[in-house]
Amino acid sequence: MAGALVIGVTHLGIDIAKSHLADRLGYFLLDQLFHLLVVLLVWLWLSQPWAALMALGEWLLRPETLLTLLAYLVITRPLSILIALVMRRWSAQVDNTSTLADAGARIGMLERFLVLTFVLAGEWTPIGFLLAAKSVLRFGDLREDRDRKLTEYVLLGTMLSFSLTLMLGLGLRTVLDATQ
């Protein structure tokens, strides 16, 4: 009963505090994080799962886990910067005014996340489907000369993104397989 009371009161307080803030994604995520932390702390208080938490901590600090987390971090912003630097040669030649701001970078991050996950899971077919889907979406643009440069630019960036992520994933799998 005490746990439910603590959760109820703190959730009410968090929601009252949030109601005085603007509707922004950052505030929403912070609100959700606080709610989750309260539930987690009450769970820890009531169940005292110290052995399970110690095992989780040990797993998180294993070199294989840290290396995998590092790979996922690399495929986000650092790899986006590298790809943007390589693609700079062609970026001035394409008209990006009709695209969403930063959408290409976000799509690239999601693609790389999926590709790395599939490589680590040993699932190759979904990678082919991702590449095919991206190509199909751009195929119609190839027929119209006005969008040809943008289509080529996107496909070149996609190939670079996929290639770098595949190399990283295969390298990581090789290291992980060698440690087992």
Side-chain angles (χ1 to χ4, degrees):
M1 185 68 173
L5 183 63
V6 169
I7 290 173
V9 170
T10 56
H11 275 45
L12 179 64
I14 291 167
D15 287 342
I16 289 171
K18 183 181 169 250
S19 70
H20 296 289
L21 299 172
D23 278 343
R24 294 185 49 191
L25 179 62
Y27 293 141
F28 171 76
L29 294 175
L30 193 60
D31 168 69
Q32 296 304 305
L33 177 66
F34 284 146
H35 285 305
L36 187 62
L37 282 174
V38 167
V39 171
L40 179 64
L41 290 172
V42 168
W43 173 71
L44 288 171
W45 169 48
L46 294 176
S47 66
Q48 300 178 0
W50 308 123
L53 288 175
M54 291 296 290
L56 176 63
E58 289 173 10
W59 176 79
L60 284 173
L61 294 176
R62 288 178 50 204
E64 299 86 4
T65 305
L66 293 173
L67 193 57
T68 302
L69 290 173
L70 178 63
Y72 277 101
L73 287 174
V74 166
I75 63 165
T76 57
R77 193 71 181 140
L79 209 52
S80 291
I81 292 169
L82 175 65
I83 292 167
L85 289 172
V86 171
M87 298 297 293
R88 183 184 297 170
R89 174 179 176 186
W90 300 285
S91 60
Q93 298 177 32
V94 296
D95 175 26
N96 284 333
T97 58
S98 62
T99 62
L100 296 174
D102 295 327
R106 301 292 183 259
I107 291 168
M109 285 182 207
L110 291 170
E111 287 171 350
R112 288 189 296 276
F113 179 86
L114 290 171
V115 168
L116 182 59
T117 301
F118 292 141
V119 168
L120 294 178
E123 295 293 331
W124 301 100
T125 306
I127 297 171
F129 280 121
L130 272 175
L131 197 52
K134 184 84 173 243
S135 300
V136 166
L137 286 172
R138 284 294 175 176
F139 179 74
D141 295 339
L142 271 175
R143 293 182 293 176
E144 299 176 23
D145 195 41
R146 63 181 171 82
D147 291 330
R148 185 180 201 103
K149 286 182 182 179
L150 180 59
T151 300
E152 291 171 344
Y153 178 79
V154 169
L155 290 176
L156 185 58
T158 298
M159 292 298 170
L160 180 61
S161 179
F162 271 61
S163 299
L164 292 171
T165 307
L166 283 169
M167 288 189 303
L168 178 67
L170 289 171
L172 179 58
R173 271 195 67 166
T174 302
V175 170
L176 294 176
D177 289 345
T179 61
Q180 292 180 356

